[in-house]
Amino acid sequence: MESPFSKPSLKRLHVYPSSIMSWHSSHLPILVLVSFLTLLVGRETVSGFRICSYNVHKFDFQKALKYRLVHTLTRIVYRCDICLLQNVVDPDRRAINSLLSSLNRYDGYNYKSVSSKGLGNSPDDMQQYVFIYRTQTVNVTDRYQYESKPRTFVREPFAVQFQSENTAIKKFALVALHTEPTQAVQEIDQLYDVFEKVSKKWNNANVMFLGDFHAGCGYMTRSDKKNIRLFTNSKFSWLIGDKVDTTVNTGTNCPFERIVVHGKAFLKEITPFSAKVYNFGKELKLSRTKVMEVSENYPVEVMLKSPALLLQATPITILLIFSAVVHCLL
Ligand SMILES: *[C@@H]1O[C@H](CO)[C@@H](O)[C@H](O)[C@H]1NC(C)=O
């Protein structure tokens, strides 16, 4: 099923009825074969598994009351199988519940959320990490709030382990971090310790870090990289590069929002070159004012590969294809 905003599957369906009419009945087995293959290949191309990350700049109940803002946010999150929202201020869950009910109005997918507690140094800036995920495509298997002693993060990373039959990697952990700009370098470096903790806890080295790291524009320079283990250790791959601009403001050009994965195994199951900024202002033709209303950052995203084609096909599908082929040959 597609989102209410893009309808490629409808187009595909429309191709067939007219051609069926003109086909001679002896071509039926071929037609069956072709449609099954189309179905399979189609599923392969339209599916894929999208992970997104977005700093929503103090998304609280006041913001959730703004209809237009929630509608825009709904269109952004609806594209994603998992969407990490950072900087959510929602102690009583009213803001996220209102976003969830907006998402679940459409009869395509159903969404749920898993949130951290409020994190921060000052009572009037306590932020939550919230993962919103599609219940049809992914399960949450566990969650973990990292705690350093002495505390080295302003907002300590929050990790969630996911399991999905729709991805080739199957089981992976996502770790959220919104750094404090003035100590971004130290916090990004300490993600290495978080990696060790998380991968040991779940006995799973498929770990992805995402969030607004402030990894650029004075907060992190090129020469800082030698002090960051996520750069010096080659097992980590930075999927959003240093030249990417994740800020909405035309006057700034900063790669703040990042996605980093650990390990060859995980990297292999990521769609090559799929990590990018989602410039929803351009895609959805929204004015700068509407874009800035949600946040001064853009979301970033990456696609995970689907399981291999044949593994995805059910035995009955394989049997049908096989019999169609045999039928054609006779
Ligand atoms: C979620 O977990 C249930 C129960 O273990 C399983 O049947 C289902 O296939 C899982 N869903 C996905 C999308 O992996």
Side-chain angles (χ1 to χ4, degrees):
M1 227 168 289
E2 286 296 318
S3 83
F5 313 111
S6 61
K7 299 222 159 23
S9 58
L10 278 183
K11 270 188 220 130
R12 205 167 46 237
L13 281 176
H14 283 154
V15 177
Y16 290 109
S18 56
S19 39
I20 290 170
M21 301 304 166
S22 56
W23 274 42
H24 192 269
S25 63
S26 69
H27 290 117
L28 200 64
I30 301 172
L31 183 72
V32 169
L33 173 66
V34 168
S35 24
F36 267 114
L37 286 178
T38 313
L39 248 168
L40 282 176
V41 175
R43 179 171 167 172
E44 183 72 1
T45 50
V46 297
S47 69
F49 188 96
R50 182 178 277 115
I51 299 177
C52 314
S53 174
Y54 193 20
N55 177 344
V56 282
H57 257 261
K58 239 188 170 106
F59 181 68
D60 59 6
F61 188 63
Q62 286 307 314
K63 265 182 139 175
L65 286 175
K66 297 182 178 161
Y67 171 79
R68 195 174 69 182
L69 188 157
V70 172
H71 182 67
T72 306
L73 197 50
T74 301
R75 296 179 77 179
I76 295 165
V77 176
Y78 206 94
R79 300 170 63 252
C80 315
D81 291 271
I82 303 173
C83 185
L84 161 68
L85 299 179
Q86 315 143 52
N87 201 341
V88 173
V89 183
D90 190 31
D92 54 10
R93 287 196 59 90
R94 283 194 296 174
I96 288 298
N97 281 344
S98 130
L99 176 62
L100 284 176
S101 64
S102 167
L103 283 162
N104 292 333
R105 264 211 323 267
Y106 302 98
D107 52 3
Y109 293 110
N110 202 63
Y111 286 85
K112 279 189 179 166
S113 69
V114 45
S115 310
S116 74
K117 60 179 195 282
L119 301 158
N121 283 344
S122 82
D124 40 278
D125 186 20
M126 299 301 276
Q127 305 180 9
Q128 289 161 273
Y129 299 115
V130 180
F131 288 92
I132 297 185
Y133 62 96
R134 283 181 187 162
T135 56
Q136 285 92 339
T137 59
V138 62
N139 286 323
V140 167
T141 56
D142 203 4
R143 55 157 87 189
Y144 169 62
Q145 178 61 60
Y146 185 79
E147 278 168 21
S148 49
K149 280 194 188 95
R151 195 142 76 92
T152 46
F153 292 94
V154 171
R155 292 164 284 272
E156 305 239 47
F158 178 59
V160 176
Q161 185 177 239
F162 293 95
Q163 182 272 328
S164 171
E165 293 305 318
N166 290 28
T167 63
I169 194 79
K170 298 280 192 278
K171 216 168 196 181
F172 53 92
L174 301 187
V175 180
L177 174 65
H178 176 205
T179 66
E180 181 65 16
T182 54
Q183 57 179 62
V185 173
Q186 296 90 305
E187 289 195 6
I188 300 168
D189 173 58
Q190 274 146 22
L191 282 179
Y192 188 86
D193 306 318
V194 180
F195 166 75
E196 292 201 311
K197 192 96 189 211
V198 165
S199 57
K200 207 164 147 195
K201 178 178 168 60
W202 288 322
N203 191 23
N204 185 346
N206 304 323
V207 178
M208 178 184 283
F209 298 96
L210 57 180
D212 186 352
F213 292 0
H214 295 101
C217 282
Y219 300 125
M220 188 199 89
T221 63
R222 193 201 291 258
S223 64
D224 286 323
K225 287 188 181 178
K226 61 179 185 304
N227 301 319
I228 298 177
R229 285 166 288 170
L230 256 57
F231 279 108
T232 56
N233 186 319
S234 62
K235 286 189 177 138
F236 294 92
S237 308
W238 288 65
L239 303 183
I240 303 278
D242 293 340
K243 296 217 163 61
V244 177
D245 181 13
T246 67
T247 60
V248 178
N249 199 318
T250 45
T252 54
N253 193 338
C254 309
F256 283 158
E257 190 85 32
R258 301 285 195 136
I259 300 175
V260 180
V261 289
H262 172 268
K264 276 218 174 72
F266 204 168
L267 193 59
K268 198 166 78 69
E269 303 304 355
I270 284 168
T271 309
F273 314 112
S274 62
K276 61 179 180 67
V277 170
Y278 176 52
N279 184 333
F280 64 92
K282 204 162 124 196
E283 302 286 333
L284 308 176
K285 299 189 174 60
L286 299 179
S287 67
R288 187 162 296 270
T289 321
K290 283 188 193 167
V291 172
M292 289 295 256
E293 188 176 53
V294 192
S295 173
E296 55 195 42
N297 286 17
Y298 278 125
V300 293
E301 61 181 42
V302 68
M303 301 292 293
L304 301 191
K305 289 182 190 167
S306 302
L309 206 60
L310 270 179
L311 291 177
Q312 217 176 309
T314 58
I316 216 63
T317 322
I318 294 169
L319 194 72
L320 280 168
I321 292 173
F322 182 73
S323 59
V325 171
V326 170
H327 208 109
C328 289
L329 294 177
L330 291 178

